[in-house]
Amino acid sequence: MYRVWNILINNSLLLILGALIALVWANLDFIFPVAGNAHYWADTYHHIIDYTLWDYAPIGHEHHGHRTLTFHYLINDMLMALFFGVAAKEVWEAVILKDGSLRGKRAATPLFATAGGMFGPIAVYLGLAAFLGSDTYNAVANGWAIPTATDIAFSYLVGRIVFGAGHPAVRFLLLLAIADDAAGLIILAVFYPSGTLAPIWLLFSFAVAVGVFLLFNWLPRYLDKNDPTQKYASWVRRKLKFWPYVLAGSASWYGFMMSGLHPALGLLPIVPAIPHADHDFGLFAQTEQYAHDLLNEIEHALKVPVEIVLFCFGLCNAGVQFSAIGDATWLVLAGLIVGKPIGIFLFGWLAAVPLRLGIPDGMRLVDLVVIGFVAAIGFTVSLFVATVAFEAGPIQDAAKMGALFSFGAAIISILAGKIFRVQKQTN
């Protein structure tokens, strides 16, 4: 349990703290009302997160080239790129390395289950929205991707509590969560552009990634191919360190912003360009901190900054008043708590039985239902998708509340584990 607590502290505790502070702050008007201003505390909260940090308007060009940087934009559109970069690193290693967890037959059933864990919530969300009428459907339809998310850290924590650290279902859950992250990044890029698409700028970002790979990764290794001392690669590593990738990441972020794609995804093309290990240590592997490849060293260096960014992300996005609860809240919750388990079970069964891809030894088909409830904890990515799916306002707030309430899936998961008689395996 000590390692589970460490994982929670290292990946999610500051995020929870930021979200709780925001939630309490935005609802203080119900506890400590201020005479003459029924929304005093909520207004104070929004004033802080929308505070203008930098306002630039070139002289004579007030309408052209004007840029405003708020605290909310700094966190959601700029610094969250670090979080998505770290997530992309885990996905990249799982896919590209020969022993990666998303390669080969062993990943087939989890990948099918991941597809079910996305189609199921979408079907429930949109189906119920259509049942509520065309007005509701038109208002909330763009939020279909919100319940497809799975919060890796919290799901992993709950999965270990329900199944025990040694149960094969925990690894199955991790594979599903990693694949879900990968699919979520694709969904954000394709279906939620932040503006009018300008493909030339996207090509610019990928050209930067190719350039930094060729100059600072491939070329030194090519020049060193007959040199056991690895002179050129050592010089690049010792003298330039990670700075070429910092500059390339900044340029790629700018390219994504100008391309119309969400700029928080701006580091994705750069991650594959960074020298990486030849072995996949696995998600949350303690040994990664001792790896000496540049990609793992960068991830280790970003550990504390990303934790701080996640605290600020929770603070900036979870400040929703309880009065905002509405149709979108229940649709997001239904998509997660109903659609996830159904989709994961049906697609997992399809892969394991009719397609004969099987499931890990020690797992039962009914464990897929429990895994579905565990994966229904959307939180971080669900909150993020809610902010890009809807304009700021009542519907966005209601959808955010659904993402926050998905924590309830943890309690349902524990109960499901009891009902389906899950046998914990500690080793």
Side-chain angles (χ1 to χ4, degrees):
M1 189 62 191
Y2 174 75
R3 184 162 177 254
V4 175
W5 179 243
N6 268 350
I7 291 167
L8 181 61
I9 291 175
N10 293 339
N11 296 277
S12 303
L13 191 59
L14 285 177
L15 173 63
I16 297 174
L17 181 61
L20 284 176
I21 290 174
L23 196 60
V24 171
W25 189 351
N27 288 279
L28 279 177
D29 290 305
F30 299 103
I31 306 171
F32 303 110
V34 175
N37 189 347
H39 303 288
Y40 173 81
W41 293 108
D43 291 343
T44 303
Y45 167 79
H46 289 290
H47 174 75
I48 295 296
I49 66 168
D50 293 325
Y51 182 77
T52 298
L53 301 173
W54 182 58
D55 194 7
Y56 172 72
I59 297 176
H61 298 277
E62 286 78 8
H63 300 292
H64 300 284
H66 185 265
R67 294 287 185 270
T68 301
L69 176 66
T70 64
F71 181 57
H72 187 272
Y73 185 90
L74 174 67
I75 300 302
N76 277 42
D77 292 59
M78 297 178 70
L79 296 182
M80 277 297 284
L82 299 178
F83 168 78
F84 285 112
V86 170
K89 179 259 184 188
E90 297 291 346
V91 173
W92 174 248
E93 289 183 333
V95 170
I96 198 66
L97 299 182
K98 62 181 180 181
D99 58 346
S101 55
L102 292 182
R103 289 172 64 95
K105 185 178 178 181
R106 63 179 173 171
T109 302
L111 287 175
F112 266 85
T114 300
M118 305 193 82
F119 292 132
I122 293 171
V124 170
Y125 181 93
L126 293 179
L128 289 178
F131 177 78
L132 292 175
S134 59
D135 289 342
T136 299
Y137 182 87
N138 293 334
V140 304
N142 201 47
W144 59 267
I146 300 172
T148 64
T150 295
D151 191 293
I152 293 182
F154 285 112
S155 295
Y156 180 59
L157 171 70
V158 175
R160 286 175 61 111
I161 292 173
V162 174
F163 291 101
H167 201 291
V170 175
R171 180 170 178 82
F172 189 101
L173 174 66
L174 277 179
L175 297 182
L176 185 151
I178 294 171
D180 190 275
D181 251 22
L185 294 175
I186 294 171
I187 287 173
L188 279 171
V190 175
F191 295 101
Y192 293 102
S194 59
T196 303
L197 291 180
I200 190 66
W201 281 104
L202 188 60
L203 290 176
F204 166 77
S205 292
F206 282 95
V208 168
V210 171
V212 76
F213 170 77
L214 291 176
L215 288 175
F216 301 102
N217 188 345
W218 176 83
L219 182 60
R221 289 187 288 110
Y222 177 78
L223 295 174
D224 287 334
K225 63 181 179 180
N226 296 317
D227 182 2
T229 65
Q230 301 290 291
K231 177 176 64 176
Y232 292 101
S234 297
W235 185 89
V236 169
R237 182 74 178 272
R238 186 176 63 255
K239 297 295 185 180
L240 302 181
K241 300 180 181 179
F242 51 78
W243 287 110
Y245 302 99
V246 172
L247 296 176
S250 301
S252 180
W253 179 91
Y254 184 79
F256 264 65
M257 181 194 69
M258 296 298 291
S259 75
L261 296 183
H262 201 287
L265 305 177
L267 297 184
L268 301 192
I270 304 301
V271 171
I274 303 173
H276 56 76
D278 57 1
H279 175 71
D280 182 17
F281 297 96
L283 195 66
F284 297 133
Q286 297 291 316
T287 51
E288 278 193 345
Q289 62 184 305
Y290 305 111
H292 295 295
D293 64 286
L294 186 58
L295 186 56
N296 270 301
E297 287 189 352
I298 289 175
E299 182 187 37
H300 185 65
L302 287 176
K303 174 181 174 294
V304 173
V306 168
E307 289 173 13
I308 295 172
V309 168
L310 287 176
F311 168 81
C312 294
F313 174 78
L315 187 65
C316 282
N317 293 279
V320 183
Q321 291 184 307
F322 288 114
S323 59
I325 294 174
D327 290 338
T329 305
W330 309 121
L331 290 172
V332 170
L333 270 179
L336 285 166
I337 295 176
V338 178
K340 278 273 187 186
I342 292 175
I344 287 174
F345 176 77
L346 289 179
F347 277 64
W349 171 85
L350 176 65
V353 181
L355 297 180
R356 299 183 179 180
L357 296 174
I359 57 175
D361 292 337
M363 259 188 71
R364 306 167 300 162
L365 282 174
V366 74
D367 290 335
L368 291 171
V369 178
V370 184
I371 289 174
F373 284 119
V374 177
I377 304 173
F379 194 43
T380 313
V381 181
S382 288
L383 267 179
F384 188 87
V385 177
T387 64
V388 300
F390 300 118
E391 295 290 335
I395 296 177
Q396 185 191 93
D397 288 348
K400 284 183 178 181
M401 195 62 79
L404 293 173
F405 284 170
S406 70
F407 271 124
I411 298 173
I412 298 174
S413 300
I414 294 172
L415 293 175
K418 300 291 185 183
I419 294 171
F420 292 108
R421 298 182 181 180
V422 169
Q423 297 295 318
K424 287 188 177 182
Q425 299 179 24
T426 56
N427 296 310

